[in-house]
Amino acid sequence: MKKIVVFTGAGISAESGIKTFRDADGLWEEYKISEVATPEAWYKNPAMVQDFYNKRRKQVMEALPNKAHYALAELEKHFDVQIITQNIDDLHERAGSKNVLHLHGEIMKARSSTYEKLIYPVKNGIISMGDKCEKGFQLRPHVVWFGEEVPNMEIAYKMVSKADIFIIIGTSLSVYPAAGLIYYTPKKSKVYLIDPQGKNIDTIENLEIIKEKAGTGVPALVEHLINSKKTTSRL
Ligand code: APR
């Protein structure tokens, strides 16, 4: 069975009402990264960081998966699909995708600020100052801040290096190391980029850019891939 690796960014959740980061009305227009999304911000003003992520979590809980998330879940019924997402929301999982690797963490989880292996679901949607892990240390959002290591990168590189088809959706490809994943695509693989602003990536040979929103571009591509599989298996 063909292996399809899908790499998603904030753009796939835009039509679910979750703001992207670097578009004109993006989150980083409203907030300074250095004040809410770095270890330094946490040391300086943990309550402000906590509040920022509590707001993000509330939005995620109010959002629903869109047609693009559902189409990818459908794709899994026909191919060996692995999703690698930069998103911290859980919309892929809620749409039904089973194989989802989060590079930048998961907003619906909390973890100990001292023991990083102690991870818990956030039950009521809020992490408060004073909420502690079982060893008595403050809980923080289970997300990767700027300047922190991205623990799942090595696994992600391996996944991409085995892809027959690589699909990139809704990312500005501006944050590393995640953006560097695309350079691990095997030379023979077909690569699709679905993003209204999709720019050419010189180093990728078999690249097809689909300048559409995820909500229309993804279901159309999924339908195409499923149909071409049916045609090939009939030959
Ligand atoms: N469908 C598809 N793509 C869209 C849509 C849409 N409806 N709306 C916007 N986009 C595209 C934009 O054209 C842009 O290329 O989504 C991309 C969003 O880019 P960013 O805001 O930079 O988001 P992303 O690439 O996911 O950011 C990477 O940066 O701040 C960090 O940790 C954060 O994981 C995030 C990382």
Side-chain angles (χ1 to χ4, degrees):
M1 199 191 279
K2 276 197 173 162
K3 181 154 191 72
I4 302 185
V5 178
V6 185
F7 179 45
T8 64
I12 196 169
S13 298
E15 287 154 271
S16 294
I18 299 176
K19 277 189 176 183
T20 62
F21 297 95
R22 294 171 187 80
D23 286 305
D25 61 342
L27 216 47
W28 298 146
E29 291 294 318
E30 201 179 327
Y31 294 91
K32 275 191 177 167
I33 289 177
S34 61
E35 286 176 5
V36 293
T38 62
E40 292 76 15
W42 175 253
Y43 293 126
K44 205 170 128 198
N45 195 343
M48 187 161 118
V49 174
Q50 208 77 271
D51 182 55
F52 172 75
Y53 285 98
N54 284 337
K55 286 190 179 128
R56 307 278 75 73
R57 197 175 300 105
K58 184 166 182 284
Q59 280 181 1
V60 167
M61 289 167 81
E62 285 165 2
L64 293 172
N66 64 50
K67 286 180 182 165
H69 298 103
Y70 284 117
L72 293 176
E74 177 64 27
L75 191 65
E76 216 173 84
K77 296 181 190 154
H78 303 265
F79 293 91
D80 173 6
V81 177
Q82 175 66 53
I83 293 175
I84 302 173
T85 186
Q86 299 168 90
N87 298 345
I88 57 177
D89 66 52
D90 59 353
L91 297 183
H92 284 302
E93 288 91 340
R94 277 200 265 148
S97 286
K98 297 277 180 295
N99 305 318
V100 185
L101 180 75
H102 286 266
L103 291 182
H104 294 161
E106 295 171 74
I107 187 86
M108 296 312 299
K109 293 181 181 169
R111 80 161 184 263
S112 167
S113 51
T114 306
Y115 291 92
E116 56 188 40
K117 296 239 155 62
L118 296 179
I119 299 166
Y120 310 87
V122 182
K123 289 202 186 103
N124 60 2
I126 302 258
I127 311 177
S128 302
M129 294 311 294
D131 289 351
K132 299 200 169 129
C133 74
E134 66 219 52
K135 290 192 187 277
F137 294 94
Q138 175 64 45
L139 292 178
R140 57 165 272 185
H142 180 46
V143 300
V144 174
W145 287 323
F146 285 88
E148 289 187 317
E149 214 187 306
V150 181
N152 285 335
M153 273 325 289
E154 287 302 321
I155 310 176
Y157 291 140
K158 283 200 187 112
M159 287 169 171
V160 174
S161 69
K162 290 186 189 132
D164 298 301
I165 300 172
F166 187 49
I167 306 173
I168 308 163
I169 306 164
T171 170
S172 61
L173 294 171
S174 55
V175 174
Y176 285 78
L181 260 189
I182 57 170
Y183 302 112
Y184 287 75
T185 321
K187 267 210 165 341
K188 60 176 183 9
S189 311
K190 175 79 183 171
V191 180
Y192 297 94
L193 166 60
I194 303 176
D195 191 308
Q197 295 191 51
K199 289 183 219 97
N200 193 30
I201 309 166
D202 289 339
T203 47
I204 296 184
E205 283 173 25
N206 300 318
L207 175 67
E208 184 173 332
I209 302 173
I210 302 166
K211 286 198 183 189
E212 275 187 52
K213 288 186 172 181
T216 47
V218 178
L221 177 60
V222 164
E223 197 185 333
H224 164 74
L225 292 171
I226 294 173
N227 285 340
S228 23
K229 185 186 170 194
K230 283 182 193 153
T231 319
T232 343
S233 57
R234 254 190 256 123
L235 294 175

